[in-house]
Amino acid sequence: MTVTTQTVTVTVDGVVVEVPAGTLIIRVAEMLGTAIPRFCDHPLLAPVAACRMCLVEIEGQGKPQPSCAITVADGMIIKTQHTSEMAEKAQAGVMEFLLINHPLDCPICDKGGECPLQNQAMTNGQGETRFQGTKRTFPKPINVSAQVLLDRERCVSCARCTRFADEIAGDPFIELLERGAKQQVGTSEDQPFDSYFSGNTIQICPVGALTSAKYRFRSRPFDLVSTPTACEHCASGCALRTDVRRSTVMRRLAWDAPEVNEEWNCDKGRFAFPYTSEARLTHPLVRDTDGNLVPTSWPEALRIAAAGLAGTGAATGVLTGGRVTVEDAQAYSAFAREVLGTKDVDFRARVVSNEETAFLANHVAGKPLDVTYGDLETAKSVLLVAFEPEDESPIIFLRLRKAALKGSTKVYSVGPYTSAGLAKMKGTLLVAGPRQEVSAISKAAEHLTGESIILVGERAVQTPGALHAVSELAQKTGAKLAWVPRRAGDRGALDAGLLPIGGRNTTEIVAAAGSAIKGLLIGGVSPEDVDGDLIAAVESAKFVVSLETRHTEVTANADVVFPVAVVTEKSGTFRNWEGRDRSFSAVVPTPGALSDADVLGELARELDKAISIIDYWASATKPALAASPADASEVGSGQAVLSTWRHLLDKGALQSGEPYLAATARVAVVRVSPATAQKLDLIDGGTATVSCCGESASAPLIVTAGMADDVVWVPANSEGCSLNLPSGCVVSVSRGEI
């Protein structure tokens, strides 16, 4: 069906142009290359006409009109400040009004040098002021949050920050208070600005009112070297801009990528970069005759590593973490299969299963771009399975919320309770504890059509049978299916062949270390993520090579340690959940910093072999997908089934060195249903202790209406809550003390 867009003809500064009906005047001017000054206008926010800076003359109107809020009509004649004395005078008057109370502190303001107010005061304002009074002042700065600081006297009441928080993020905890000359941005005393996206308010603020605690007073814009980059923190694939001064990363900003993150990013991607420069490994290390790790030269380390790996050969297990780029993953895959001759490879440093291996091989690996961000906005419905977008892929959350608010998409989620993120997406909960998810997935067919999308998270592996049920659901309904991993490198590693088809998976490699597995090659794996005792495996293996950026428990027990480049020091590609490649360049070129792929290439040459990148999935035999047997263990007295996932901000290694960001992390809580609370004798607002397998965690208890019964929810890997067990475990729950 052909859709015809109605157009109208308008004249702007004497230029006749035909544009779609409903286009804002300010957008028509942009199409013609005419810049109309503005502060409140933003293309991704609803018009509000708050600042009045964009006034233009419209023929037939008696006074200037805001071009950011009026749509064009057929035959409309518009004059901007370039051709209208009325518009020019009106804009100069607005600028003079804004500067009555705005401080002229540009030399010390973080926005100085990239400030729209500063620029437009020069181009559209007057050279002198008639104001002779005393400008208003406030105590400064005040903490809107631990990360966002506010200098109230600089605010021009454009409402960009409040509109973003309300319209885009769904976190309306920042608001314009008072009226008239006393108007200012503030937060509720009992509800602070709690948002994973607060950094965007800093970036879109057209003045220096909102600043970053991390960046404040650290640099001037004209001292920075800016490089387009890609985010390494999750599978969203956000485009970023990284700003460097004297080889040090000063800040990161969201970059314009309409097909992915539009102009937004989450606070983790924006602020969690200090790890790239702190506590870094700088020299290769080898274990001496006394058992100590000592620095050595690259040639010596390569010689020792090559000799050790030659001895273990096909009995070597290869494990990689989420930081690896596509290029690194391809090198690991080729090195394992062609140099070592092993099939015991896996990128999944977490809970794994053979059911998931078959699912990924059949439904995800090597698959071309099929489900996109754009598709999420046009789908009739989206089903979320074992996936919490706000915590696990924030840009998917923003896109789904945008679609849901437009009314074009209905969001359904299979989960234990209605999370804050699901509520912001106006989604519907299909209530299910971890052991009820298979049944709930099957029943979800009534909500899906051929115009629907199923987004399944990596946590689905924790429920036996869930991935098989998802596969059957997609086939039955015709809905498109997409897998969303938690880490940036996972999709690229999968496509590169770092999946154990015919070999051992992560859990099996760890269990076989010291027996069938003689050697280990490990790149970027955190012990706390692995299903099994990785450190015991490292200690048991005959020979271990670690490629790492900083010291970990793995490097402490390895035989050879190679320092490798972090994301800021190398060029590469992350493949996001869509299967879209997100390439980036080095922002701090560092002599001697080698990528994982570089090190593996040198190791291959030391073994008189070469790495050649091949399309592994073109010839791989894909296993049949069958459901894993369900967990048959029963829930006894004082027990419940654990449901868990990680908050976006947790104790992850890539967030180290950023105390302001850490201070905005959500507090760990324990959640149970009213019936479960009564059954377990728990008190709402009290504390609860959850324990299993020698681990325990205590946190404040929230009795949550509508939650699945006999289920307890606790965040994983959170500060103050160190319980790291998969969903589906039977745990003990009791009253406790924090």
Side-chain angles (χ1 to χ4, degrees):
M1 181 178 67
T2 302
V3 179
T4 303
T5 302
Q6 184 179 357
T7 61
V8 296
T9 300
V10 298
T11 303
V12 179
D13 290 340
V15 179
V16 180
V17 61
E18 188 176 4
V19 298
T23 305
L24 294 170
I25 292 174
I26 200 167
R27 302 286 172 259
V28 177
E30 290 171 352
M31 295 175 192
L32 297 174
T34 300
I36 298 176
R38 84 291 298 270
F39 296 114
C40 67
D41 175 70
H42 191 285
L44 298 179
L45 300 177
V48 69
C51 72
R52 317 304 286 184
M53 191 64 208
C54 67
L55 296 174
V56 296
E57 179 183 349
I58 302 175
E59 191 173 281
Q61 300 288 333
K63 60 181 181 180
Q65 301 295 324
S67 61
C68 73
I70 297 177
T71 58
V72 292
D74 195 42
M76 183 179 283
I77 299 176
I78 303 155
K79 296 180 181 179
T80 72
Q81 72 277 8
H82 297 293
T83 60
S84 167
E85 183 179 348
M86 175 195 290
E88 183 181 22
K89 183 178 179 181
Q91 291 175 6
V94 171
M95 179 59 70
E96 184 178 23
F97 174 76
L98 291 176
L99 292 178
I100 284 177
N101 277 314
H102 190 89
L104 300 181
D105 60 351
C106 303
I108 63 166
C109 176
D110 276 332
K111 204 75 172 184
E114 57 182 8
C115 175
L117 178 63
Q118 189 180 50
N119 296 339
Q120 290 167 190
M122 299 295 292
T123 59
N124 302 92
Q126 301 181 33
E128 297 180 356
T129 180
R130 294 175 289 172
F131 180 68
Q132 300 297 321
T134 301
K135 297 190 176 193
R136 69 175 184 175
T137 59
F138 294 99
K140 56 183 289 184
I142 62 172
N143 285 81
V144 176
S145 72
Q147 187 65 256
V148 181
L149 305 180
L150 171 64
D151 293 276
R152 288 171 287 175
E153 69 277 9
R154 294 176 184 162
C155 180
V156 293
S157 300
C158 71
R160 275 190 174 190
C161 57
T162 61
R163 288 149 60 211
F164 170 84
D166 187 31
E167 297 174 20
I168 307 299
D171 300 315
F173 307 134
I174 182 171
E175 196 53 82
L176 286 172
L177 310 176
E178 304 290 350
R179 296 177 63 85
K182 294 183 179 181
Q183 191 172 66
Q184 57 185 283
V185 171
T187 60
S188 169
E189 291 184 2
D190 59 349
Q191 203 170 27
F193 186 27
D194 175 20
S195 177
Y196 285 153
F197 307 95
S198 66
N200 293 284
T201 64
I202 299 171
Q203 184 168 340
I204 65 174
C205 179
V207 292
L210 295 174
T211 56
S212 162
K214 179 70 175 179
Y215 177 71
R216 188 176 174 90
F217 301 141
R218 294 199 66 202
S219 184
R220 309 299 297 172
F222 35 78
D223 291 330
L224 300 173
V225 176
S226 301
T227 306
T229 52
C231 186
E232 76 277 26
H233 286 289
C234 79
S236 293
C238 291
L240 303 179
R241 189 187 97 189
T242 300
D243 289 349
V244 173
R245 180 173 183 258
R246 296 177 182 173
S247 298
T248 301
V249 176
M250 291 284 108
R251 65 178 180 181
R252 280 177 171 173
L253 303 175
W255 200 240
D256 185 21
E259 72 283 6
V260 179
N261 55 304
E262 299 184 307
E263 296 183 26
W264 318 122
N265 75 329
C266 74
D267 286 355
K268 187 175 182 179
R270 183 179 296 268
F271 298 120
F273 58 80
Y275 80 92
T276 60
S277 58
E278 296 183 359
R280 294 286 308 284
L281 285 168
T282 57
H283 296 86
L285 305 172
V286 297
R287 199 163 295 280
D288 63 13
T289 54
D290 295 325
N292 300 315
L293 278 178
V294 296
T296 190
S297 65
W298 275 97
E300 180 67 5
L302 288 167
R303 183 189 65 78
I304 294 173
L309 292 174
T312 57
T316 304
V318 178
L319 301 175
T320 65
R323 65 166 170 78
V324 296
T325 62
V326 172
E327 295 80 4
D328 293 334
Q330 290 171 336
Y332 276 109
S333 181
F335 187 86
R337 300 179 191 282
E338 299 179 30
V339 177
L340 299 177
T342 180
K343 295 181 180 179
D344 298 326
V345 300
D346 207 341
F347 70 91
R348 299 169 297 174
R350 52 176 175 78
V351 176
V352 299
S353 73
N354 291 330
E355 178 186 356
E356 185 194 32
T357 299
F359 174 83
L360 295 177
N362 285 279
H363 293 284
V364 186
K367 192 176 182 181
L369 201 65
D370 184 31
V371 179
T372 67
Y373 281 107
D375 294 335
L376 298 181
E377 292 191 32
T378 59
K380 280 195 172 182
S381 59
V382 174
L383 175 67
L384 310 177
V385 177
F387 178 47
E388 181 58 38
E390 190 179 32
D391 280 314
E392 297 175 293
S393 186
I395 302 305
I396 290 181
F397 163 75
L398 292 185
R399 286 298 189 103
L400 287 178
R401 184 171 191 275
K402 178 182 176 182
L405 293 185
K406 288 192 301 185
S408 60
T409 302
K410 184 67 176 175
V411 178
Y412 298 91
S413 177
V414 175
Y417 72 97
T418 300
S419 65
L422 184 61
K424 293 171 195 174
M425 294 184 287
K426 300 188 181 299
T428 300
L429 178 70
L430 306 180
V431 186
R435 299 187 177 190
Q436 304 157 340
E437 287 179 335
V438 173
S439 176
I441 291 167
S442 300
K443 293 177 182 178
E446 62 185 275
H447 304 296
L448 304 181
T449 68
E451 298 176 82
S452 300
I453 293 173
I454 304 171
L455 296 180
V456 57
E458 66 177 34
R459 290 186 287 108
V461 69
Q462 299 173 12
T463 301
L467 290 168
H468 183 263
V470 165
S471 176
E472 290 190 330
L473 179 64
Q475 186 175 13
K476 177 181 178 180
T477 62
K480 289 185 175 182
L481 177 61
W483 175 69
V484 186
R486 187 173 61 86
R487 304 175 305 177
D490 283 3
R491 178 60 191 271
L494 172 62
D495 287 346
L498 286 175
L499 196 67
I501 305 300
R504 295 176 178 85
N505 62 34
T506 299
T507 304
E508 293 165 342
I509 290 172
V510 170
S515 54
I517 296 294
K518 306 297 183 184
L520 290 172
L521 174 60
I522 304 175
V525 178
S526 297
E528 66 270 15
D529 292 337
V530 174
D531 183 23
D533 193 339
L534 178 61
I535 301 307
V538 171
E539 292 174 344
S540 300
K542 177 182 177 183
F543 191 77
V544 179
V545 176
S546 172
L547 279 65
E548 259 300 351
T549 62
R550 55 170 57 193
H551 278 296
T552 69
E553 289 183 85
V554 173
T555 63
N557 292 278
D559 295 288
V560 180
V561 179
F562 290 107
V564 291
V566 293
V567 66
T568 55
E569 297 171 334
K570 63 183 180 181
S571 299
T573 307
F574 287 118
R575 187 164 294 162
N576 74 353
W577 69 272
E578 302 169 283
R580 189 191 304 271
D581 284 346
R582 311 297 291 155
S583 298
F584 59 92
S585 301
V587 298
V588 186
T590 306
L594 302 180
S595 68
D596 294 62
D598 293 332
V599 174
L600 293 171
E602 292 299 325
L603 271 176
R605 280 186 281 276
E606 192 71 28
L607 290 165
D608 294 324
K609 295 186 179 181
I611 292 176
S612 59
I613 306 304
I614 61 172
D615 183 359
Y616 171 73
W617 292 106
S619 58
T621 301
K622 299 178 182 179
L625 175 59
S628 299
D631 187 347
S633 57
E634 297 182 358
V635 178
S637 176
Q639 294 182 325
V641 177
L642 177 68
S643 177
T644 183
W645 62 76
R646 288 188 176 194
H647 283 151
L648 178 69
L649 304 176
D650 59 7
K651 296 192 298 183
L654 300 192
Q655 297 164 61
S656 62
E658 226 307 332
Y660 304 109
L661 180 66
T664 67
R666 292 179 180 172
V667 177
V669 298
V670 176
R671 292 182 181 272
V672 296
S673 70
T676 304
Q678 184 177 14
K679 178 180 176 180
L680 299 175
D681 192 28
L682 302 175
I683 301 174
D684 187 25
T687 60
T689 297
V690 182
S691 57
C692 179
C693 307
E695 293 191 41
S696 66
S698 296
L701 177 73
I702 298 179
V703 176
T704 305
M707 184 172 175
D709 292 332
D710 294 323
V711 173
V712 58
W713 183 87
V714 184
N717 202 46
S718 287
E719 197 65 48
C721 183
S722 58
L723 194 68
N724 286 307
L725 297 169
S727 293
C729 291
V730 175
V731 296
S732 298
V733 187
S734 60
R735 292 192 190 183
E737 297 183 2
I738 299 178

